[in-house]
Amino acid sequence: MLEISWLAIALTIAAASTPLLLAAAGELVVERAGVLNLGLEGMMLMGAVIGFIVKVESGSWFVACLAAACVGALFSQAFAFFVLTLRANQVAAGLALTILGGGLAAVLGAGYVGVSLAPMPRIPVVGSELHPWLGLLEHSPLFWLGLLVVVGVQWFLFHSRAGLVLRAVGDSHDSAHALGYSVLKVRALAIAFGGAMAGLGGAYLSLVHTPLWSEGMTAGRGWIALALVVFAFWRPWRLLFGTFFFASVTILEIYAQGFSLAVPPQFFAMLPYLATIAILVFLSSAYWRGRSDAPAALGKTFAPPY
Amino acid sequence: MLIVRIEPREFDTTSTQGARAHLRVLGLAAVVPLLVSLLLGGLIFLSNGIPPLHGLHAFFIAPLSDRLGLTELLVKAAPLALIACGLLFVFRANVWNIGAEGQFILGAIGATGTALFLVPQDSPFCLPALFLGGVIAGAAWAGVVAWLRAHLRVNEILCSLMLVYVAQLLLHWLVQSPWRDPQGYNFPETALFESSLMLPILVERTRLHLGVLFVVPAVALTWLLLNRSLFGLAISVAGRAPRAARFAGFSQKRIIWMTLLVSGGFAGLAGAVEVVGLTGQLVPRISPGYGFTAIIVAFLGGLHPLGVVAAALLVALTYLGGEAAQVTTQLPYAAAGIFQGLLLFSVLAFGFFSRHRVRFTRAVQRPAGQVLQASANLPANPSANSSTNPRVDL
């Protein structure tokens, strides 16, 4: 039986890491293009609510996920308009997006609170009845999509020409502009991709993780995804370790309750947040700082010269 | 081909004509985004089957129609203004303290802890001690951020925000386990304070308490410190030109510490006022997100103490409207977030349109061989942008 319970833990970790992986992979691309989008939480909530509503109304998982991604991308363009066209402060615009998204999602989903869904079916694995460990491979399609996105982003950023342009824009927008690349267009597309991934991450929460809608159901995952990008040093591969670590810390709370430890559950719930801080401290040491790959133009407003 | 050109606005503010034109532009840049926000808000009402004008009336006008509504507006504006006053210090110094919500919660915890355990009930110093407890707790919570930022160079946006969640969980633990009122029928609340530990009510049968008046000295102090002291000058220089601040001998570390401590102290004071003036006990939902909304208030007020007061009243109205709309239009309370987000976007749009002019021009046909530069925003004044460039190093 021990084996089965470890299996359950591994499955929960995988399940808890998917929304973080999706949102962080999107944000990583955005930051590689030199834009800091603090609106992840808002975009995730929009994706969560739209995905849920579309699933309830249309019944199709695929359409629901597609709608969530589209809404995330569309919503992120409000942010893009403000930071790119109106050259607004990225921190303030991102916060506005988070607050607006939270409110909008609450209003949209008001009629759907308390509605429940069957969770998204997992992709079955042939022969999973032979050995319980094969069951480890049974996940919702979004889980596999998350892994695919990481691979795709890694390939795109470091093995494609367009990715090279994107990184150039993020490292020195003036040079990229001088070379004739449209800085604003590249950034707008990157922000749209980040929005779509955040929307999908949100949809994972409302369709797979806890198949229902409730206000503020992301519970700070958007912010943790932001920290994960730092944790990964802006390298997609390392997101896998980061999300695995954070998801393990998150589910500790659930299992700690099962073991009826003397520590109050709230303290276990604090762990992901405290761990984020601890890791940020660790990574900010001089040794790691020198190895960091932070985009040089991150957070800087681009105003094209004459 | 139509080209959008973005050009910097320049006004000769020394002449009356120029100054008037400047004011007109400022007015337009402020009013138009607000109108657009209201329009969008109306559309959202419409999409929920609520007549837009009816919805906007229920949100923004109906709550102010009676004495209770007006006093509630002040009760809600006071914590926002207090927190935002503190945020002026950090934001002007380009330090991004996003965790005022946590510092507010710690202030409430500090005041309650002082009331429950530290203060002899009949001492004349007990009320000030409660506020001191709140201020110290709030400043200490921000002090963690200051230490991480100044000495370990950790990004303050992320760590101040993570501490918000930690503060909320700490609050939940306190009211559920060690501080729960034993006679409270198992509700997650602390025992009610003695009436001697509460601030007096100013207007009968309302919740308007003395703590609201704290805003007046707070705003005055903030104005004095920011505009009439060396500390304020150091903050402005450090925020606008970090290199100049270094050459002037202002210590970056000290500025991070001081601004964060002040901002945490203000947020802590607001939390203490909320407990001592309003609830009289620690409850799990002590804050409806005041700490986050105060960020909007600070920006909406143009990072100026007096502007903050006006902005706090306006944003408090969205809270009241959210409550009223919940009853009259069945929208969730969180709908207030829509207007708060739109307001912040309006401020950002204002910042742009007050400094830039957008012009639609036809492309001029040039002789072949000459490169036509057609971009969404061609000429710009780089210096006009430098003040809006935040320092963000993740």
Side-chain angles (χ1 to χ4, degrees):
Chain A
M1 282 315 280
L2 186 71
E3 203 177 8
I4 302 298
S5 84
W6 280 114
L7 187 72
I9 289 176
L11 279 174
T12 357
I13 289 177
S17 64
T18 303
L20 292 173
L21 197 62
L22 282 166
E27 177 71 14
L28 192 141
V29 172
V30 178
E31 292 192 12
R32 276 285 184 179
V35 179
L36 180 71
N37 186 356
L38 293 186
L40 268 187
E41 190 88 356
M43 299 187 297
M44 285 180 85
L45 280 167
M46 286 298 285
V49 76
I50 293 296
F52 189 79
I53 290 175
V54 171
K55 169 62 191 145
V56 170
E57 299 300 336
S58 78
S60 158
W61 294 110
F62 178 73
V63 176
C65 292
L66 195 69
C70 288
V71 161
L74 211 67
F75 195 55
S76 73
Q77 290 309 295
F79 170 81
F81 173 69
F82 274 89
V83 293
L84 300 179
T85 311
L86 300 190
R87 300 172 198 168
N89 180 321
Q90 294 181 5
V91 177
L95 280 172
L97 198 73
T98 287
I99 295 169
L100 182 65
L104 215 52
V107 169
L108 288 170
Y112 294 86
V113 176
V115 180
S116 63
L117 276 178
M120 190 187 275
R122 293 169 174 176
I123 297 178
V125 173
V126 183
S128 62
E129 66 282 352
L130 294 179
H131 193 278
W133 279 104
L134 279 173
L136 256 182
L137 294 173
E138 287 200 346
H139 291 290
S140 74
L142 280 178
F143 170 82
W144 296 110
L145 185 69
L147 292 184
L148 211 66
V149 164
V150 171
V151 175
V153 166
Q154 173 79 26
W155 175 82
F156 169 77
L157 283 178
F158 299 102
H159 299 278
S160 81
R161 194 185 159 77
L164 187 65
V165 172
L166 183 131
R167 284 188 291 137
V169 164
D171 273 329
S172 170
H173 44 220
D174 291 324
S175 313
H177 176 78
L179 287 173
Y181 296 114
S182 172
V183 173
L184 297 182
K185 209 177 282 172
V186 169
R187 288 191 169 163
L189 286 173
I191 293 172
F193 176 74
M197 289 305 113
L200 272 181
Y204 180 89
L205 288 173
S206 66
L207 295 177
V208 185
H209 199 54
T210 46
L212 48 83
W213 161 251
S214 66
E215 271 177 38
M217 69 184 302
T218 47
R221 283 188 182 85
W223 297 105
I224 289 187
L226 271 167
L228 274 170
V229 178
V230 185
F231 178 84
F233 282 161
W234 294 270
R235 298 253 173 201
W237 285 127
R238 299 193 188 150
L239 280 179
L240 293 173
F241 301 108
T243 46
F244 179 79
F245 172 75
F246 277 93
S248 326
V249 175
T250 313
I251 64 149
L252 253 184
E253 184 197 353
I254 306 165
Y255 284 94
Q257 281 169 356
F259 292 131
S260 63
L261 292 176
V263 184
Q266 287 90 354
F267 284 85
F268 278 103
M270 284 178 195
L271 278 178
Y273 310 111
L274 292 176
T276 307
I277 296 177
I279 283 181
L280 288 176
V281 169
F282 176 67
L283 294 182
S284 66
S285 67
Y287 175 81
W288 285 108
R289 197 167 267 273
R291 275 155 187 76
S292 162
D293 217 2
L298 183 57
K300 297 208 172 86
T301 307
F302 176 62
Y306 285 100
Chain B
M1 189 186 151
L2 205 63
I3 296 181
V4 186
R5 289 170 67 96
I6 295 176
E7 300 166 356
R9 286 185 196 277
E10 270 151 27
F11 295 100
D12 173 23
T13 40
T14 49
S15 74
T16 5
Q17 218 171 10
R20 240 182 241 157
H22 189 212
L23 270 182
R24 201 163 49 234
V25 164
L26 287 185
L28 265 179
V31 168
V32 173
L34 276 180
L35 285 180
V36 173
S37 299
L38 285 180
L39 195 74
L40 286 174
L43 278 177
I44 289 163
F45 283 129
L46 195 64
S47 65
N48 276 272
I50 301 159
L53 283 179
H54 171 69
L56 289 175
H57 181 268
F59 222 95
F60 290 110
I61 297 169
L64 295 181
S65 53
D66 56 356
R67 200 178 58 156
L68 187 66
L70 285 172
T71 54
E72 276 298 298
L73 184 73
L74 295 178
V75 166
K76 291 201 158 54
L80 289 174
L82 283 176
I83 303 170
C85 273
L87 290 179
L88 294 190
F89 290 86
V90 276
F91 289 169
R92 280 200 180 187
N94 229 339
V95 174
W96 292 96
N97 175 18
I98 308 292
E101 178 81 2
Q103 293 139 25
F104 177 90
I105 290 173
L106 256 285
I109 291 176
T112 311
T114 317
L116 290 178
F117 303 109
L118 294 177
V119 179
Q121 300 285 333
D122 46 359
S123 155
F125 298 109
C126 54
L127 261 180
L130 297 195
F131 293 118
L132 195 66
V135 170
I136 290 176
W141 208 243
V144 176
V145 181
W147 179 67
L148 291 169
R149 173 78 191 93
H151 300 282
L152 302 175
R153 296 177 63 197
V154 178
N155 176 271
E156 76 275 19
I157 299 176
L158 289 173
C159 61
S160 65
L161 205 110
M162 291 298 135
L163 284 176
V164 172
Y165 293 98
V166 177
Q168 281 169 348
L169 288 162
L170 185 69
L171 170 70
H172 284 265
W173 173 64
L174 284 173
V175 294
Q176 272 169 20
S177 304
W179 289 7
R180 187 169 61 193
D181 182 9
Q183 275 100 48
Y185 303 103
N186 253 347
F187 279 111
E189 297 166 350
T190 62
L192 277 169
F193 294 180
E194 299 288 323
S195 58
S196 68
L197 286 181
M198 293 278 295
L199 287 171
I201 294 289
L202 293 178
V203 180
E204 285 287 306
R205 290 196 307 283
T206 69
R207 302 201 302 164
L208 188 68
H209 55 84
L210 190 68
V212 172
L213 296 183
F214 283 25
V215 172
V216 180
V219 167
L221 182 72
T222 306
W223 185 82
L224 274 177
L225 279 176
L226 283 176
N227 297 341
R228 289 288 180 274
S229 78
L230 186 63
F231 176 47
L233 179 73
I235 288 174
S236 300
V237 177
R240 290 191 183 161
R243 271 169 63 81
R246 254 197 316 272
F247 288 131
F250 299 131
S251 153
Q252 176 73 21
K253 277 186 187 170
R254 227 187 92 160
I255 287 171
I256 291 171
W257 267 104
M258 294 294 285
T259 52
L260 271 166
L261 286 182
V262 170
S263 121
F266 269 107
L269 177 68
V273 167
E274 197 74 358
V275 171
V276 179
L278 209 59
T279 59
Q281 61 183 160
L282 201 56
V283 292
R285 303 221 57 172
I286 188 75
S287 165
Y290 283 146
F292 292 117
T293 323
I295 299 170
I296 300 177
V297 171
F299 277 105
L300 196 60
L303 296 188
H304 188 278
L306 284 177
V308 156
V309 176
L313 289 169
L314 183 60
V315 172
L317 185 55
T318 63
Y319 274 118
L320 278 191
E323 280 173 7
Q326 211 176 2
V327 180
T328 54
T329 62
Q330 271 80 48
L331 280 178
Y333 180 56
I338 294 178
F339 285 103
Q340 290 163 1
L342 287 175
L343 270 175
L344 186 45
F345 273 133
S346 301
V347 185
L348 298 176
F350 167 78
F352 176 78
F353 286 110
S354 61
R355 281 196 306 271
H356 299 91
R357 166 200 316 249
V358 181
R359 218 178 237 168
F360 298 92
T361 50
R362 295 216 166 271
V364 188
Q365 286 297 322
R366 295 182 193 206
Q370 201 172 346
V371 179
L372 183 69
Q373 282 191 313
S375 152
N377 37 16
L378 244 171
N381 180 1
S383 66
N385 245 346
S386 59
S387 62
T388 56
N389 257 6
R391 175 202 52 73
V392 180
D393 55 339
L394 274 174

